[in-house]
Each structure stands twice: as C-alpha cells, then as structure tokens.
Amino acid sequence: GAGVSQTPSNKVTEKGKYVELRCDPISGHTALYWYRQSLGQGPEFLIYFQGTGAADDSGLPNDRFFAVRPEGSVSTLKIQRTERGDSAVYLCASSPGKGYYGYTFGSGTRLTVV
Amino acid sequence: AQSVTQPDIHITVSEGASLELRCNYSYGATPYLFWYVQSPGQGLQLLLKYFSGDTLVQGIKGFEAEFKRSQSSFNLRKPSVHWSDAAEYFCAASNYGGSQGNLIFGKGTKLSVKP
C-alpha cells in the first residue's frame, strides 16, 4: 500500500482479555518495527523484524507480548492477559531494510484496557 | 545507558518567530540522529536525519538541525514558524541506520503557535 496501515485504530478491551493488533507495511519493505507510546512519553521500541524473523525482540516487556510476521509482510502484535498498564498507542513502522532511510510510521492503534 | 533528552516539555512561540527545540543524547559513540513530528492522531513523520558529514542538516518543511559533538546536541531550528507547525516533536537516536537498528526517542516537545 501507499503507507503503513494499522488496524484497528482504536481498541477497548477488558483486563485479562487477549488482543491482536495488525500492521500492514509499505509494499516491499522488509524491515518492520513495533513501538509503544504511553501518554506523555516518546515511543519505546518493542520488536524488529527483518523479513519473517524477529531480529531483535529485546523491547518486549514480558512474555505476555508476542509478535509474528509469517510471510514477511503483515505483522500481528499479540497481547495476552491484558493489564491496565498496557494501555498505550502501539505504533508500527517499516523501512526498505537497506541503507539509511529512516522509518515510515503508521498512525497507530490506541489500546485502552479497562 | 543510552538516552535522548528533550529538556523542554512545552514551548509556545508566536507565528513568524524563530524556533529552536533542544535535544541532547548520551551514547558511547556518535549515534545516528533523527527528528520526527507527530500531529494529533497521526503517525510520526521524519523531518530530517544526521549520519555523518556536514553538521548542519536540512529537512522538510523548512526545518534544519545542527549536530554539535562537543555538546552532544542535535537541536532543531526553523527561522519562521507557521501555525501549521503546531505539533509534538521527537528527537531520536540509533546506533545503526534507521533501517537496521531500533530508535531511542526523547519524551517529546509540544509546540504551540500563537497568532
């Protein structure tokens, strides 16, 4: 697509539930990133994919968080047993994967855990 | 630990006035440096980036930034602010190029523009 698409744009869920957040990167971009932005903070790195594999998942806060990118395009961020502290905007970005282009970010998914 | 600091949480300037947003970094070596802008409900848009070479970097929308190694700073500037520049601005740094390494962001500076 023309840009990075994230769905849903807003998600409200109850504490303890499971959620999936989807990211559709720019066509042909091999690198994909997930960030989390809490209120009043800058984005914090979660995980980076190069192709289908997670090249760096050091930012995932705990084992409730998991992400996949099975075909090297669309990625899904999965959060189990959600907690109120998981409420944030989850941002996805992609880049061509070569050279130094900077990222293109999506508009994010605002997750609210009640 | 690696970090990026934006000392100003909120800045208000008059339309037409000049602007400087501060950014300091703490890294073991000179990182790659970026400025992003975020409008309400929008994703982050890259304004400019510095990797090496000329320390004065030109970006989009009339912005520029100057890398100063001695001060570990990468301040963003614009000579004349427009009302449409009102947004939140984030400075970020990486050990690698933006396509390979993760970015560390500052907490952001919110810019308000008064008529």
PDB file of all heavy atoms in Angstrom, chain B residues 1-24:
ATOM      1  N   ALA B   1      23.650   4.111  30.339  1.00  0.00           N
ATOM      2  CA  ALA B   1      22.640   3.660  29.378  1.00  0.00           C
ATOM      3  C   ALA B   1      22.439   4.734  28.316  1.00  0.00           C
ATOM      4  O   ALA B   1      22.593   5.917  28.570  1.00  0.00           O
ATOM      5  CB  ALA B   1      21.324   3.393  30.089  1.00  0.00           C
ATOM      6  N   GLN B   2      22.099   4.270  27.129  1.00  0.00           N
ATOM      7  CA  GLN B   2      21.860   5.210  26.047  1.00  0.00           C
ATOM      8  C   GLN B   2      20.566   5.969  26.311  1.00  0.00           C
ATOM      9  O   GLN B   2      19.577   5.386  26.748  1.00  0.00           O
ATOM     10  CB  GLN B   2      21.779   4.446  24.730  1.00  0.00           C
ATOM     11  CG  GLN B   2      23.071   3.711  24.405  1.00  0.00           C
ATOM     12  CD  GLN B   2      22.891   2.704  23.297  1.00  0.00           C
ATOM     13  OE1 GLN B   2      21.786   2.270  23.027  1.00  0.00           O
ATOM     14  NE2 GLN B   2      23.973   2.339  22.647  1.00  0.00           N
ATOM     15  N   SER B   3      20.585   7.252  26.012  1.00  0.00           N
ATOM     16  CA  SER B   3      19.381   8.043  26.257  1.00  0.00           C
ATOM     17  C   SER B   3      19.344   9.265  25.360  1.00  0.00           C
ATOM     18  O   SER B   3      20.369   9.710  24.839  1.00  0.00           O
ATOM     19  CB  SER B   3      19.309   8.489  27.726  1.00  0.00           C
ATOM     20  OG  SER B   3      20.361   9.382  28.017  1.00  0.00           O
ATOM     21  N   VAL B   4      18.134   9.791  25.192  1.00  0.00           N
ATOM     22  CA  VAL B   4      17.890  11.024  24.465  1.00  0.00           C
ATOM     23  C   VAL B   4      17.052  11.918  25.368  1.00  0.00           C
ATOM     24  O   VAL B   4      16.028  11.467  25.893  1.00  0.00           O
ATOM     25  CB  VAL B   4      17.155  10.754  23.140  1.00  0.00           C
ATOM     26  CG1 VAL B   4      16.784  12.061  22.452  1.00  0.00           C
ATOM     27  CG2 VAL B   4      18.018   9.899  22.225  1.00  0.00           C
ATOM     28  N   THR B   5      17.479  13.156  25.521  1.00  0.00           N
ATOM     29  CA  THR B   5      16.796  14.078  26.418  1.00  0.00           C
ATOM     30  C   THR B   5      16.301  15.292  25.653  1.00  0.00           C
ATOM     31  O   THR B   5      17.064  15.933  24.929  1.00  0.00           O
ATOM     32  CB  THR B   5      17.743  14.554  27.534  1.00  0.00           C
ATOM     33  OG1 THR B   5      18.225  13.417  28.253  1.00  0.00           O
ATOM     34  CG2 THR B   5      17.010  15.477  28.495  1.00  0.00           C
ATOM     35  N   GLN B   6      15.040  15.591  25.838  1.00  0.00           N
ATOM     36  CA  GLN B   6      14.466  16.828  25.314  1.00  0.00           C
ATOM     37  C   GLN B   6      14.041  17.639  26.538  1.00  0.00           C
ATOM     38  O   GLN B   6      13.050  17.316  27.178  1.00  0.00           O
ATOM     39  CB  GLN B   6      13.277  16.524  24.401  1.00  0.00           C
ATOM     40  CG  GLN B   6      13.700  15.806  23.117  1.00  0.00           C
ATOM     41  CD  GLN B   6      12.519  15.514  22.217  1.00  0.00           C
ATOM     42  OE1 GLN B   6      12.145  14.356  22.013  1.00  0.00           O
ATOM     43  NE2 GLN B   6      11.926  16.547  21.656  1.00  0.00           N
ATOM     44  N   PRO B   7      14.790  18.678  26.869  1.00  0.00           N
ATOM     45  CA  PRO B   7      14.577  19.368  28.146  1.00  0.00           C
ATOM     46  C   PRO B   7      13.253  20.129  28.232  1.00  0.00           C
ATOM     47  O   PRO B   7      12.755  20.358  29.331  1.00  0.00           O
ATOM     48  CB  PRO B   7      15.754  20.350  28.224  1.00  0.00           C
ATOM     49  CG  PRO B   7      16.717  19.919  27.171  1.00  0.00           C
ATOM     50  CD  PRO B   7      15.940  19.198  26.137  1.00  0.00           C
ATOM     51  N   ASP B   8      12.713  20.528  27.102  1.00  0.00           N
ATOM     52  CA  ASP B   8      11.503  21.345  27.101  1.00  0.00           C
ATOM     53  C   ASP B   8      10.289  20.479  26.794  1.00  0.00           C
ATOM     54  O   ASP B   8      10.210  19.881  25.731  1.00  0.00           O
ATOM     55  CB  ASP B   8      11.623  22.461  26.062  1.00  0.00           C
ATOM     56  CG  ASP B   8      12.865  23.301  26.300  1.00  0.00           C
ATOM     57  OD1 ASP B   8      12.993  23.818  27.421  1.00  0.00           O
ATOM     58  OD2 ASP B   8      13.685  23.426  25.373  1.00  0.00           O
ATOM     59  N   ILE B   9       9.338  20.454  27.733  1.00  0.00           N
ATOM     60  CA  ILE B   9       8.130  19.658  27.524  1.00  0.00           C
ATOM     61  C   ILE B   9       7.171  20.390  26.596  1.00  0.00           C
ATOM     62  O   ILE B   9       6.534  19.795  25.726  1.00  0.00           O
ATOM     63  CB  ILE B   9       7.451  19.368  28.873  1.00  0.00           C
ATOM     64  CG1 ILE B   9       8.376  18.522  29.752  1.00  0.00           C
ATOM     65  CG2 ILE B   9       6.113  18.674  28.680  1.00  0.00           C
ATOM     66  CD1 ILE B   9       7.859  18.331  31.157  1.00  0.00           C
ATOM     67  N   HIS B  10       7.082  21.725  26.780  1.00  0.00           N
ATOM     68  CA  HIS B  10       6.108  22.513  26.022  1.00  0.00           C
ATOM     69  C   HIS B  10       6.717  23.875  25.718  1.00  0.00           C
ATOM     70  O   HIS B  10       7.269  24.522  26.611  1.00  0.00           O
ATOM     71  CB  HIS B  10       4.817  22.669  26.837  1.00  0.00           C
ATOM     72  CG  HIS B  10       3.690  23.265  26.075  1.00  0.00           C
ATOM     73  ND1 HIS B  10       2.509  23.641  26.682  1.00  0.00           N
ATOM     74  CD2 HIS B  10       3.535  23.561  24.761  1.00  0.00           C
ATOM     75  CE1 HIS B  10       1.684  24.132  25.764  1.00  0.00           C
ATOM     76  NE2 HIS B  10       2.281  24.087  24.601  1.00  0.00           N
ATOM     77  N   ILE B  11       6.615  24.278  24.457  1.00  0.00           N
ATOM     78  CA  ILE B  11       7.101  25.586  24.033  1.00  0.00           C
ATOM     79  C   ILE B  11       5.996  26.278  23.262  1.00  0.00           C
ATOM     80  O   ILE B  11       5.306  25.651  22.448  1.00  0.00           O
ATOM     81  CB  ILE B  11       8.370  25.439  23.167  1.00  0.00           C
ATOM     82  CG1 ILE B  11       9.572  25.115  24.037  1.00  0.00           C
ATOM     83  CG2 ILE B  11       8.641  26.697  22.363  1.00  0.00           C
ATOM     84  CD1 ILE B  11      10.861  24.991  23.266  1.00  0.00           C
ATOM     85  N   THR B  12       5.838  27.586  23.522  1.00  0.00           N
ATOM     86  CA  THR B  12       4.887  28.389  22.765  1.00  0.00           C
ATOM     87  C   THR B  12       5.654  29.508  22.068  1.00  0.00           C
ATOM     88  O   THR B  12       6.430  30.219  22.712  1.00  0.00           O
ATOM     89  CB  THR B  12       3.808  28.992  23.681  1.00  0.00           C
ATOM     90  OG1 THR B  12       3.092  27.923  24.309  1.00  0.00           O
ATOM     91  CG2 THR B  12       2.831  29.840  22.871  1.00  0.00           C
ATOM     92  N   VAL B  13       5.434  29.650  20.770  1.00  0.00           N
ATOM     93  CA  VAL B  13       6.053  30.732  20.018  1.00  0.00           C
ATOM     94  C   VAL B  13       4.980  31.436  19.199  1.00  0.00           C
ATOM     95  O   VAL B  13       3.939  30.863  18.882  1.00  0.00           O
ATOM     96  CB  VAL B  13       7.186  30.231  19.088  1.00  0.00           C
ATOM     97  CG1 VAL B  13       8.285  29.569  19.901  1.00  0.00           C
ATOM     98  CG2 VAL B  13       6.645  29.282  18.041  1.00  0.00           C
ATOM     99  N   SER B  14       5.267  32.668  18.854  1.00  0.00           N
ATOM    100  CA  SER B  14       4.348  33.423  18.006  1.00  0.00           C
ATOM    101  C   SER B  14       4.585  33.063  16.544  1.00  0.00           C
ATOM    102  O   SER B  14       5.717  32.764  16.143  1.00  0.00           O
ATOM    103  CB  SER B  14       4.563  34.923  18.195  1.00  0.00           C
ATOM    104  OG  SER B  14       4.282  35.293  19.529  1.00  0.00           O
ATOM    105  N   GLU B  15       3.526  33.089  15.785  1.00  0.00           N
ATOM    106  CA  GLU B  15       3.660  32.818  14.355  1.00  0.00           C
ATOM    107  C   GLU B  15       4.634  33.822  13.739  1.00  0.00           C
ATOM    108  O   GLU B  15       4.557  35.027  14.011  1.00  0.00           O
ATOM    109  CB  GLU B  15       2.306  32.892  13.666  1.00  0.00           C
ATOM    110  CG  GLU B  15       2.335  32.373  12.236  1.00  0.00           C
ATOM    111  CD  GLU B  15       0.941  32.183  11.652  1.00  0.00           C
ATOM    112  OE1 GLU B  15      -0.025  32.734  12.222  1.00  0.00           O
ATOM    113  OE2 GLU B  15       0.821  31.472  10.641  1.00  0.00           O
ATOM    114  N   GLY B  16       5.547  33.315  12.947  1.00  0.00           N
ATOM    115  CA  GLY B  16       6.552  34.159  12.325  1.00  0.00           C
ATOM    116  C   GLY B  16       7.845  34.260  13.107  1.00  0.00           C
ATOM    117  O   GLY B  16       8.879  34.689  12.570  1.00  0.00           O
ATOM    118  N   ALA B  17       7.813  33.876  14.365  1.00  0.00           N
ATOM    119  CA  ALA B  17       9.022  33.915  15.187  1.00  0.00           C
ATOM    120  C   ALA B  17       9.901  32.708  14.874  1.00  0.00           C
ATOM    121  O   ALA B  17       9.460  31.718  14.287  1.00  0.00           O
ATOM    122  CB  ALA B  17       8.651  33.929  16.666  1.00  0.00           C
ATOM    123  N   SER B  18      11.146  32.798  15.307  1.00  0.00           N
ATOM    124  CA  SER B  18      12.060  31.683  15.107  1.00  0.00           C
ATOM    125  C   SER B  18      11.859  30.635  16.200  1.00  0.00           C
ATOM    126  O   SER B  18      11.310  30.915  17.270  1.00  0.00           O
ATOM    127  CB  SER B  18      13.505  32.178  15.103  1.00  0.00           C
ATOM    128  OG  SER B  18      13.823  32.712  16.378  1.00  0.00           O
ATOM    129  N   LEU B  19      12.335  29.435  15.908  1.00  0.00           N
ATOM    130  CA  LEU B  19      12.124  28.302  16.815  1.00  0.00           C
ATOM    131  C   LEU B  19      13.412  27.520  16.980  1.00  0.00           C
ATOM    132  O   LEU B  19      14.140  27.299  16.005  1.00  0.00           O
ATOM    133  CB  LEU B  19      11.054  27.373  16.238  1.00  0.00           C
ATOM    134  CG  LEU B  19      10.862  26.024  16.934  1.00  0.00           C
ATOM    135  CD1 LEU B  19      10.220  26.207  18.293  1.00  0.00           C
ATOM    136  CD2 LEU B  19      10.025  25.095  16.058  1.00  0.00           C
ATOM    137  N   GLU B  20      13.686  27.084  18.208  1.00  0.00           N
ATOM    138  CA  GLU B  20      14.751  26.121  18.433  1.00  0.00           C
ATOM    139  C   GLU B  20      14.281  25.126  19.479  1.00  0.00           C
ATOM    140  O   GLU B  20      13.901  25.512  20.594  1.00  0.00           O
ATOM    141  CB  GLU B  20      16.049  26.782  18.893  1.00  0.00           C
ATOM    142  CG  GLU B  20      17.182  25.771  19.080  1.00  0.00           C
ATOM    143  CD  GLU B  20      18.556  26.406  19.253  1.00  0.00           C
ATOM    144  OE1 GLU B  20      18.619  27.566  19.703  1.00  0.00           O
ATOM    145  OE2 GLU B  20      19.562  25.749  18.938  1.00  0.00           O
ATOM    146  N   LEU B  21      14.295  23.858  19.127  1.00  0.00           N
ATOM    147  CA  LEU B  21      13.954  22.782  20.041  1.00  0.00           C
ATOM    148  C   LEU B  21      15.221  22.026  20.384  1.00  0.00           C
ATOM    149  O   LEU B  21      15.969  21.618  19.500  1.00  0.00           O
ATOM    150  CB  LEU B  21      12.923  21.824  19.412  1.00  0.00           C
ATOM    151  CG  LEU B  21      11.612  22.458  18.961  1.00  0.00           C
ATOM    152  CD1 LEU B  21      10.684  21.386  18.387  1.00  0.00           C
ATOM    153  CD2 LEU B  21      10.929  23.189  20.090  1.00  0.00           C
ATOM    154  N   ARG B  22      15.414  21.799  21.676  1.00  0.00           N
ATOM    155  CA  ARG B  22      16.668  21.219  22.130  1.00  0.00           C
ATOM    156  C   ARG B  22      16.615  19.707  22.227  1.00  0.00           C
ATOM    157  O   ARG B  22      15.580  19.131  22.578  1.00  0.00           O
ATOM    158  CB  ARG B  22      17.056  21.815  23.490  1.00  0.00           C
ATOM    159  CG  ARG B  22      17.318  23.303  23.446  1.00  0.00           C
ATOM    160  CD  ARG B  22      17.777  23.805  24.794  1.00  0.00           C
ATOM    161  NE  ARG B  22      16.697  23.783  25.777  1.00  0.00           N
ATOM    162  CZ  ARG B  22      16.895  23.895  27.079  1.00  0.00           C
ATOM    163  NH1 ARG B  22      18.125  24.001  27.566  1.00  0.00           N
ATOM    164  NH2 ARG B  22      15.863  23.899  27.916  1.00  0.00           N
ATOM    165  N   CYS B  23      17.753  19.090  21.948  1.00  0.00           N
ATOM    166  CA  CYS B  23      17.889  17.641  22.054  1.00  0.00           C
ATOM    167  C   CYS B  23      19.325  17.325  22.457  1.00  0.00           C
ATOM    168  O   CYS B  23      20.269  17.797  21.814  1.00  0.00           O
ATOM    169  CB  CYS B  23      17.560  16.958  20.734  1.00  0.00           C
ATOM    170  SG  CYS B  23      17.891  15.176  20.719  1.00  0.00           S
ATOM    171  N   ASN B  24      19.484  16.526  23.484  1.00  0.00           N
ATOM    172  CA  ASN B  24      20.798  16.039  23.888  1.00  0.00           C
ATOM    173  C   ASN B  24      20.777  14.520  23.934  1.00  0.00           C
ATOM    174  O   ASN B  24      19.764  13.920  24.253  1.00  0.00           O
ATOM    175  CB  ASN B  24      21.184  16.588  25.267  1.00  0.00           C
ATOM    176  CG  ASN B  24      21.368  18.071  25.249  1.00  0.00           C
ATOM    177  OD1 ASN B  24      20.452  18.833  25.569  1.00  0.00           O
ATOM    178  ND2 ASN B  24      22.534  18.520  24.853  1.00  0.00           N
TER     179      ASN B  24
END
